Amino acid sequence: MFTKLLIANRGEIARRINRVAQRMGISTVAVYSDADASLPFVREATQAVRIGPPPPKSSYLDIAALIEAARTTGAEAVHPGYGFVSENPEFARACTEAGLVFVGPPPEAMERIKDKSQVRKRVQEAGVPIVPGSDGVVPDSRSAAQEAERIGFPVLCKAAGGGGGIGMAVANNQAVLEKVFRQCVDRARAAFGREGVYLERYFEAPRHIEVQLLGDRRGRIVHLLERECSIQRRHQKVVEEAPSPFFAGGARAEMAEQMFQAAIRAGKALQYQNAGTVEFLVADGSFYFIEVNARLQVEHPITELTTGVDLIGWQLRLAAGEELDIDQYQVSRTGAAIEFRIYAEDPIKFLPSPGTITRFRAPSGEGVRLDAGYEEGNTVTPYYDPLIAKLIVAAPTRPQAIERSTRALEAFSIQGLQTNLPLHRRIAQDPAFRAGQLDTAFLERHAKP
Amino acid sequence: MADVAAHITGTVWKIEVKVGQTVSAGDTLVILESMKMEMPVESPEGGTVAEIRCRESQPVNEGDVLVVLR
């Protein structure tokens, strides 16, 4: 195992990686931009290095600055967290070239996963059901029109190099498609530096269920069961839980097992290593592969709390060359866990609300875990994502987890800026949520003020 | 005649109009970026762009005037 780890991220995830690493006896290096100098993740690391001004491209996305920070501090490995450089094969390669261990899959696997349209092909060849869509990238709007006719409206335009909901747009008819297709191509070029756009059938209200994988260098892959992440706004997750109410208590056991096996097949087809997630949509009684996230997920704690597997600990061990000593039959789940993403945004229109936290009173209690990036007095700036904290609540059963969540959300107080806490309180009370009736259009119909 | 202000604190991502250009109500004038989200600032009324008071990648506060219409 390495003795010093550089954490190329910020906020709650930097803090969390730091805690796991220090517990394993690894000393840590935080990197920070000028906007983040007073945040807890900087103070808590063994060492901290300023890497640049606030804009991400001059700091957390600056590969040269990150590598230089690792070099000057003598770090042996780099954990990228999620977002920023975590899915950038160029960064992984730069680490390897500088003699650093990148905590994640090898750059070749990252490259394979980067092109979502290629990934669709590969996993389909491995027998994984994919969302009906275009055969690869669509070259122009005329072909887009033909493909859409074949797939059937509504269709979803997706940037092949995209992620996090950026570069996606729905078209209900040919006229809209023509406009949306062009916008998508432009957006893909501007945001991801590549033009490729492909089409998929758009499901109005599917469930979003994903499977956690861990893989080692020998090519062994195990899955750590599923998470349901259907409650979203703007294609970004807001509440996640494990198990999925769709599969809980042994419901649809056959389909669940098929999904787990499909996830493993996808992982093997992509020669995946380290921690990764295979995302599926569930609609009309079937499941369809959407994509692989080649990194730690924001919502990984609900898997940790229900399976007892330390995902970040395993990421570090796998990166250090250790082999998986978990057999698939040993993976089991106890209880239920729910994660609420506390965002700095208004709870109705979901518009960003940066500002200074004048009061921060976190809940505590049995089964309540809080992964927060900020504390009282800190400023949430407009430069990075709006995640202030993740409230993660575990209990022996889902109804108990919801009861504990309701109390924890009531007790949680953040002042000085707007947060989506009121939205979470409404979700926890919502009859459809309590009944486990979830889909990606949930927030359009439920938990209204 | 209208001063069009930023409705959120963020960074100017893209300026979509030029001085002298005619715009209609609802046209996107500027796209702001805040917390990884792009948000268009739309024209409240029809008119001509008289002045642009921001530049791309400039940080702005809520209420800062971005574009003046005539």
Side-chain angles (χ1 to χ4, degrees), chain A residues 267-285:
Chain A
K268 292 211 159 138
L270 298 161
Q271 292 164 279
Y272 200 79
Q273 287 176 34
N274 212 281
T277 294
V278 185
E279 297 188 325
F280 296 96
L281 292 182
V282 178
D284 315 328

mmCIF file with all atom_site columns, all heavy atoms in Angstrom, chain A residues 267-285:
data_model
loop_
_atom_site.group_PDB
_atom_site.id
_atom_site.type_symbol
_atom_site.label_atom_id
_atom_site.label_alt_id
_atom_site.label_comp_id
_atom_site.label_asym_id
_atom_site.label_entity_id
_atom_site.label_seq_id
_atom_site.pdbx_PDB_ins_code
_atom_site.Cartn_x
_atom_site.Cartn_y
_atom_site.Cartn_z
_atom_site.occupancy
_atom_site.B_iso_or_equiv
_atom_site.pdbx_formal_charge
_atom_site.auth_seq_id
_atom_site.auth_comp_id
_atom_site.auth_asym_id
_atom_site.auth_atom_id
_atom_site.pdbx_PDB_model_num
ATOM 1   N N   . GLY A 1 267 ? -19.072 -5.177  -17.530 1.00 0.00 ? 267 GLY A N   1
ATOM 2   C CA  . GLY A 1 267 ? -17.758 -4.916  -16.916 1.00 0.00 ? 267 GLY A CA  1
ATOM 3   C C   . GLY A 1 267 ? -16.668 -5.729  -17.577 1.00 0.00 ? 267 GLY A C   1
ATOM 4   O O   . GLY A 1 267 ? -15.582 -5.232  -17.878 1.00 0.00 ? 267 GLY A O   1
ATOM 5   N N   . LYS A 1 268 ? -16.974 -7.012  -17.829 1.00 0.00 ? 268 LYS A N   1
ATOM 6   C CA  . LYS A 1 268 ? -15.970 -7.887  -18.456 1.00 0.00 ? 268 LYS A CA  1
ATOM 7   C C   . LYS A 1 268 ? -15.704 -7.473  -19.900 1.00 0.00 ? 268 LYS A C   1
ATOM 8   O O   . LYS A 1 268 ? -14.561 -7.461  -20.342 1.00 0.00 ? 268 LYS A O   1
ATOM 9   C CB  . LYS A 1 268 ? -16.434 -9.346  -18.399 1.00 0.00 ? 268 LYS A CB  1
ATOM 10  C CG  . LYS A 1 268 ? -16.446 -9.849  -16.951 1.00 0.00 ? 268 LYS A CG  1
ATOM 11  C CD  . LYS A 1 268 ? -16.155 -11.325 -16.844 1.00 0.00 ? 268 LYS A CD  1
ATOM 12  C CE  . LYS A 1 268 ? -15.672 -11.621 -15.418 1.00 0.00 ? 268 LYS A CE  1
ATOM 13  N NZ  . LYS A 1 268 ? -16.242 -12.842 -14.849 1.00 0.00 ? 268 LYS A NZ  1
ATOM 14  N N   . ALA A 1 269 ? -16.775 -7.107  -20.630 1.00 0.00 ? 269 ALA A N   1
ATOM 15  C CA  . ALA A 1 269 ? -16.611 -6.707  -22.023 1.00 0.00 ? 269 ALA A CA  1
ATOM 16  C C   . ALA A 1 269 ? -15.727 -5.469  -22.136 1.00 0.00 ? 269 ALA A C   1
ATOM 17  O O   . ALA A 1 269 ? -15.027 -5.277  -23.122 1.00 0.00 ? 269 ALA A O   1
ATOM 18  C CB  . ALA A 1 269 ? -17.975 -6.444  -22.651 1.00 0.00 ? 269 ALA A CB  1
ATOM 19  N N   . LEU A 1 270 ? -15.775 -4.618  -21.107 1.00 0.00 ? 270 LEU A N   1
ATOM 20  C CA  . LEU A 1 270 ? -14.990 -3.382  -21.138 1.00 0.00 ? 270 LEU A CA  1
ATOM 21  C C   . LEU A 1 270 ? -13.670 -3.548  -20.394 1.00 0.00 ? 270 LEU A C   1
ATOM 22  O O   . LEU A 1 270 ? -12.933 -2.591  -20.191 1.00 0.00 ? 270 LEU A O   1
ATOM 23  C CB  . LEU A 1 270 ? -15.805 -2.230  -20.534 1.00 0.00 ? 270 LEU A CB  1
ATOM 24  C CG  . LEU A 1 270 ? -17.095 -1.894  -21.299 1.00 0.00 ? 270 LEU A CG  1
ATOM 25  C CD1 . LEU A 1 270 ? -18.055 -1.102  -20.441 1.00 0.00 ? 270 LEU A CD1 1
ATOM 26  C CD2 . LEU A 1 270 ? -16.774 -1.127  -22.583 1.00 0.00 ? 270 LEU A CD2 1
ATOM 27  N N   . GLN A 1 271 ? -13.375 -4.766  -19.969 1.00 0.00 ? 271 GLN A N   1
ATOM 28  C CA  . GLN A 1 271 ? -12.173 -5.071  -19.188 1.00 0.00 ? 271 GLN A CA  1
ATOM 29  C C   . GLN A 1 271 ? -12.013 -4.084  -18.041 1.00 0.00 ? 271 GLN A C   1
ATOM 30  O O   . GLN A 1 271 ? -10.978 -3.438  -17.878 1.00 0.00 ? 271 GLN A O   1
ATOM 31  C CB  . GLN A 1 271 ? -10.935 -5.085  -20.076 1.00 0.00 ? 271 GLN A CB  1
ATOM 32  C CG  . GLN A 1 271 ? -10.959 -6.247  -21.061 1.00 0.00 ? 271 GLN A CG  1
ATOM 33  C CD  . GLN A 1 271 ? -9.960  -6.043  -22.180 1.00 0.00 ? 271 GLN A CD  1
ATOM 34  O OE1 . GLN A 1 271 ? -10.236 -5.326  -23.145 1.00 0.00 ? 271 GLN A OE1 1
ATOM 35  N NE2 . GLN A 1 271 ? -8.810  -6.652  -22.047 1.00 0.00 ? 271 GLN A NE2 1
ATOM 36  N N   . TYR A 1 272 ? -13.075 -3.999  -17.266 1.00 0.00 ? 272 TYR A N   1
ATOM 37  C CA  . TYR A 1 272 ? -13.133 -2.997  -16.220 1.00 0.00 ? 272 TYR A CA  1
ATOM 38  C C   . TYR A 1 272 ? -12.328 -3.394  -14.991 1.00 0.00 ? 272 TYR A C   1
ATOM 39  O O   . TYR A 1 272 ? -12.274 -4.554  -14.613 1.00 0.00 ? 272 TYR A O   1
ATOM 40  C CB  . TYR A 1 272 ? -14.601 -2.736  -15.823 1.00 0.00 ? 272 TYR A CB  1
ATOM 41  C CG  . TYR A 1 272 ? -14.690 -1.416  -15.141 1.00 0.00 ? 272 TYR A CG  1
ATOM 42  C CD1 . TYR A 1 272 ? -14.688 -0.241  -15.875 1.00 0.00 ? 272 TYR A CD1 1
ATOM 43  C CD2 . TYR A 1 272 ? -14.680 -1.336  -13.751 1.00 0.00 ? 272 TYR A CD2 1
ATOM 44  C CE1 . TYR A 1 272 ? -14.688 0.975   -15.243 1.00 0.00 ? 272 TYR A CE1 1
ATOM 45  C CE2 . TYR A 1 272 ? -14.683 -0.118  -13.115 1.00 0.00 ? 272 TYR A CE2 1
ATOM 46  C CZ  . TYR A 1 272 ? -14.684 1.033   -13.866 1.00 0.00 ? 272 TYR A CZ  1
ATOM 47  O OH  . TYR A 1 272 ? -14.672 2.241   -13.239 1.00 0.00 ? 272 TYR A OH  1
ATOM 48  N N   . GLN A 1 273 ? -11.703 -2.379  -14.369 1.00 0.00 ? 273 GLN A N   1
ATOM 49  C CA  . GLN A 1 273 ? -11.016 -2.591  -13.091 1.00 0.00 ? 273 GLN A CA  1
ATOM 50  C C   . GLN A 1 273 ? -11.384 -1.477  -12.131 1.00 0.00 ? 273 GLN A C   1
ATOM 51  O O   . GLN A 1 273 ? -11.780 -0.407  -12.541 1.00 0.00 ? 273 GLN A O   1
ATOM 52  C CB  . GLN A 1 273 ? -9.490  -2.560  -13.280 1.00 0.00 ? 273 GLN A CB  1
ATOM 53  C CG  . GLN A 1 273 ? -8.936  -3.784  -13.972 1.00 0.00 ? 273 GLN A CG  1
ATOM 54  C CD  . GLN A 1 273 ? -7.433  -3.634  -14.222 1.00 0.00 ? 273 GLN A CD  1
ATOM 55  O OE1 . GLN A 1 273 ? -6.710  -3.039  -13.437 1.00 0.00 ? 273 GLN A OE1 1
ATOM 56  N NE2 . GLN A 1 273 ? -6.971  -4.174  -15.323 1.00 0.00 ? 273 GLN A NE2 1
ATOM 57  N N   . ASN A 1 274 ? -11.181 -1.754  -10.830 1.00 0.00 ? 274 ASN A N   1
ATOM 58  C CA  . ASN A 1 274 ? -11.480 -0.823  -9.742  1.00 0.00 ? 274 ASN A CA  1
ATOM 59  C C   . ASN A 1 274 ? -13.003 -0.663  -9.574  1.00 0.00 ? 274 ASN A C   1
ATOM 60  O O   . ASN A 1 274 ? -13.758 -1.524  -10.013 1.00 0.00 ? 274 ASN A O   1
ATOM 61  C CB  . ASN A 1 274 ? -10.767 0.516   -9.950  1.00 0.00 ? 274 ASN A CB  1
ATOM 62  C CG  . ASN A 1 274 ? -10.400 1.173   -8.622  1.00 0.00 ? 274 ASN A CG  1
ATOM 63  O OD1 . ASN A 1 274 ? -11.239 1.770   -7.973  1.00 0.00 ? 274 ASN A OD1 1
ATOM 64  N ND2 . ASN A 1 274 ? -9.163  1.028   -8.200  1.00 0.00 ? 274 ASN A ND2 1
ATOM 65  N N   . ALA A 1 275 ? -13.447 0.434   -8.924  1.00 0.00 ? 275 ALA A N   1
ATOM 66  C CA  . ALA A 1 275 ? -14.882 0.592   -8.675  1.00 0.00 ? 275 ALA A CA  1
ATOM 67  C C   . ALA A 1 275 ? -15.550 1.245   -9.876  1.00 0.00 ? 275 ALA A C   1
ATOM 68  O O   . ALA A 1 275 ? -15.007 2.178   -10.459 1.00 0.00 ? 275 ALA A O   1
ATOM 69  C CB  . ALA A 1 275 ? -15.107 1.436   -7.429  1.00 0.00 ? 275 ALA A CB  1
ATOM 70  N N   . GLY A 1 276 ? -16.705 0.751   -10.237 1.00 0.00 ? 276 GLY A N   1
ATOM 71  C CA  . GLY A 1 276 ? -17.450 1.337   -11.351 1.00 0.00 ? 276 GLY A CA  1
ATOM 72  C C   . GLY A 1 276 ? -18.920 1.018   -11.192 1.00 0.00 ? 276 GLY A C   1
ATOM 73  O O   . GLY A 1 276 ? -19.296 0.177   -10.370 1.00 0.00 ? 276 GLY A O   1
ATOM 74  N N   . THR A 1 277 ? -19.745 1.700   -11.971 1.00 0.00 ? 277 THR A N   1
ATOM 75  C CA  . THR A 1 277 ? -21.190 1.502   -11.857 1.00 0.00 ? 277 THR A CA  1
ATOM 76  C C   . THR A 1 277 ? -21.804 1.325   -13.232 1.00 0.00 ? 277 THR A C   1
ATOM 77  O O   . THR A 1 277 ? -21.459 2.055   -14.163 1.00 0.00 ? 277 THR A O   1
ATOM 78  C CB  . THR A 1 277 ? -21.825 2.712   -11.142 1.00 0.00 ? 277 THR A CB  1
ATOM 79  O OG1 . THR A 1 277 ? -21.346 2.734   -9.797  1.00 0.00 ? 277 THR A OG1 1
ATOM 80  C CG2 . THR A 1 277 ? -23.340 2.618   -11.117 1.00 0.00 ? 277 THR A CG2 1
ATOM 81  N N   . VAL A 1 278 ? -22.687 0.358   -13.356 1.00 0.00 ? 278 VAL A N   1
ATOM 82  C CA  . VAL A 1 278 ? -23.412 0.148   -14.604 1.00 0.00 ? 278 VAL A CA  1
ATOM 83  C C   . VAL A 1 278 ? -24.845 0.630   -14.393 1.00 0.00 ? 278 VAL A C   1
ATOM 84  O O   . VAL A 1 278 ? -25.534 0.166   -13.495 1.00 0.00 ? 278 VAL A O   1
ATOM 85  C CB  . VAL A 1 278 ? -23.390 -1.339  -15.016 1.00 0.00 ? 278 VAL A CB  1
ATOM 86  C CG1 . VAL A 1 278 ? -24.044 -1.512  -16.382 1.00 0.00 ? 278 VAL A CG1 1
ATOM 87  C CG2 . VAL A 1 278 ? -21.955 -1.859  -15.052 1.00 0.00 ? 278 VAL A CG2 1
ATOM 88  N N   . GLU A 1 279 ? -25.249 1.604   -15.222 1.00 0.00 ? 279 GLU A N   1
ATOM 89  C CA  . GLU A 1 279 ? -26.578 2.205   -15.068 1.00 0.00 ? 279 GLU A CA  1
ATOM 90  C C   . GLU A 1 279 ? -27.577 1.572   -16.029 1.00 0.00 ? 279 GLU A C   1
ATOM 91  O O   . GLU A 1 279 ? -27.265 1.345   -17.207 1.00 0.00 ? 279 GLU A O   1
ATOM 92  C CB  . GLU A 1 279 ? -26.509 3.713   -15.336 1.00 0.00 ? 279 GLU A CB  1
ATOM 93  C CG  . GLU A 1 279 ? -25.629 4.459   -14.338 1.00 0.00 ? 279 GLU A CG  1
ATOM 94  C CD  . GLU A 1 279 ? -25.714 5.980   -14.477 1.00 0.00 ? 279 GLU A CD  1
ATOM 95  O OE1 . GLU A 1 279 ? -25.859 6.479   -15.612 1.00 0.00 ? 279 GLU A OE1 1
ATOM 96  O OE2 . GLU A 1 279 ? -25.629 6.662   -13.447 1.00 0.00 ? 279 GLU A OE2 1
ATOM 97  N N   . PHE A 1 280 ? -28.789 1.331   -15.505 1.00 0.00 ? 280 PHE A N   1
ATOM 98  C CA  . PHE A 1 280 ? -29.872 0.762   -16.313 1.00 0.00 ? 280 PHE A CA  1
ATOM 99  C C   . PHE A 1 280 ? -31.132 1.595   -16.169 1.00 0.00 ? 280 PHE A C   1
ATOM 100 O O   . PHE A 1 280 ? -31.341 2.243   -15.144 1.00 0.00 ? 280 PHE A O   1
ATOM 101 C CB  . PHE A 1 280 ? -30.211 -0.656  -15.842 1.00 0.00 ? 280 PHE A CB  1
ATOM 102 C CG  . PHE A 1 280 ? -29.112 -1.658  -16.005 1.00 0.00 ? 280 PHE A CG  1
ATOM 103 C CD1 . PHE A 1 280 ? -28.257 -1.950  -14.944 1.00 0.00 ? 280 PHE A CD1 1
ATOM 104 C CD2 . PHE A 1 280 ? -28.925 -2.315  -17.208 1.00 0.00 ? 280 PHE A CD2 1
ATOM 105 C CE1 . PHE A 1 280 ? -27.238 -2.878  -15.079 1.00 0.00 ? 280 PHE A CE1 1
ATOM 106 C CE2 . PHE A 1 280 ? -27.905 -3.253  -17.350 1.00 0.00 ? 280 PHE A CE2 1
ATOM 107 C CZ  . PHE A 1 280 ? -27.062 -3.535  -16.289 1.00 0.00 ? 280 PHE A CZ  1
ATOM 108 N N   . LEU A 1 281 ? -31.955 1.566   -17.206 1.00 0.00 ? 281 LEU A N   1
ATOM 109 C CA  . LEU A 1 281 ? -33.318 2.073   -17.100 1.00 0.00 ? 281 LEU A CA  1
ATOM 110 C C   . LEU A 1 281 ? -34.239 0.874   -17.022 1.00 0.00 ? 281 LEU A C   1
ATOM 111 O O   . LEU A 1 281 ? -33.989 -0.138  -17.670 1.00 0.00 ? 281 LEU A O   1
ATOM 112 C CB  . LEU A 1 281 ? -33.700 2.890   -18.343 1.00 0.00 ? 281 LEU A CB  1
ATOM 113 C CG  . LEU A 1 281 ? -32.993 4.202   -18.572 1.00 0.00 ? 281 LEU A CG  1
ATOM 114 C CD1 . LEU A 1 281 ? -33.550 4.866   -19.831 1.00 0.00 ? 281 LEU A CD1 1
ATOM 115 C CD2 . LEU A 1 281 ? -33.162 5.121   -17.371 1.00 0.00 ? 281 LEU A CD2 1
ATOM 116 N N   . VAL A 1 282 ? -35.300 1.014   -16.235 1.00 0.00 ? 282 VAL A N   1
ATOM 117 C CA  . VAL A 1 282 ? -36.311 -0.032  -16.187 1.00 0.00 ? 282 VAL A CA  1
ATOM 118 C C   . VAL A 1 282 ? -37.615 0.583   -16.667 1.00 0.00 ? 282 VAL A C   1
ATOM 119 O O   . VAL A 1 282 ? -38.075 1.587   -16.113 1.00 0.00 ? 282 VAL A O   1
ATOM 120 C CB  . VAL A 1 282 ? -36.469 -0.597  -14.763 1.00 0.00 ? 282 VAL A CB  1
ATOM 121 C CG1 . VAL A 1 282 ? -37.575 -1.650  -14.727 1.00 0.00 ? 282 VAL A CG1 1
ATOM 122 C CG2 . VAL A 1 282 ? -35.155 -1.192  -14.272 1.00 0.00 ? 282 VAL A CG2 1
ATOM 123 N N   . ALA A 1 283 ? -38.167 0.009   -17.741 1.00 0.00 ? 283 ALA A N   1
ATOM 124 C CA  . ALA A 1 283 ? -39.431 0.517   -18.286 1.00 0.00 ? 283 ALA A CA  1
ATOM 125 C C   . ALA A 1 283 ? -40.183 -0.637  -18.928 1.00 0.00 ? 283 ALA A C   1
ATOM 126 O O   . ALA A 1 283 ? -39.563 -1.547  -19.491 1.00 0.00 ? 283 ALA A O   1
ATOM 127 C CB  . ALA A 1 283 ? -39.171 1.611   -19.323 1.00 0.00 ? 283 ALA A CB  1
ATOM 128 N N   . ASP A 1 284 ? -41.482 -0.592  -18.869 1.00 0.00 ? 284 ASP A N   1
ATOM 129 C CA  . ASP A 1 284 ? -42.348 -1.609  -19.479 1.00 0.00 ? 284 ASP A CA  1
ATOM 130 C C   . ASP A 1 284 ? -41.913 -3.032  -19.116 1.00 0.00 ? 284 ASP A C   1
ATOM 131 O O   . ASP A 1 284 ? -41.911 -3.921  -19.963 1.00 0.00 ? 284 ASP A O   1
ATOM 132 C CB  . ASP A 1 284 ? -42.349 -1.481  -21.033 1.00 0.00 ? 284 ASP A CB  1
ATOM 133 C CG  . ASP A 1 284 ? -42.487 -0.037  -21.488 1.00 0.00 ? 284 ASP A CG  1
ATOM 134 O OD1 . ASP A 1 284 ? -43.158 0.728   -20.766 1.00 0.00 ? 284 ASP A OD1 1
ATOM 135 O OD2 . ASP A 1 284 ? -41.931 0.311   -22.545 1.00 0.00 ? 284 ASP A OD2 1
ATOM 136 N N   . GLY A 1 285 ? -41.501 -3.220  -17.878 1.00 0.00 ? 285 GLY A N   1
ATOM 137 C CA  . GLY A 1 285 ? -41.161 -4.569  -17.425 1.00 0.00 ? 285 GLY A CA  1
ATOM 138 C C   . GLY A 1 285 ? -39.836 -5.120  -17.923 1.00 0.00 ? 285 GLY A C   1
ATOM 139 O O   . GLY A 1 285 ? -39.547 -6.297  -17.743 1.00 0.00 ? 285 GLY A O   1
#
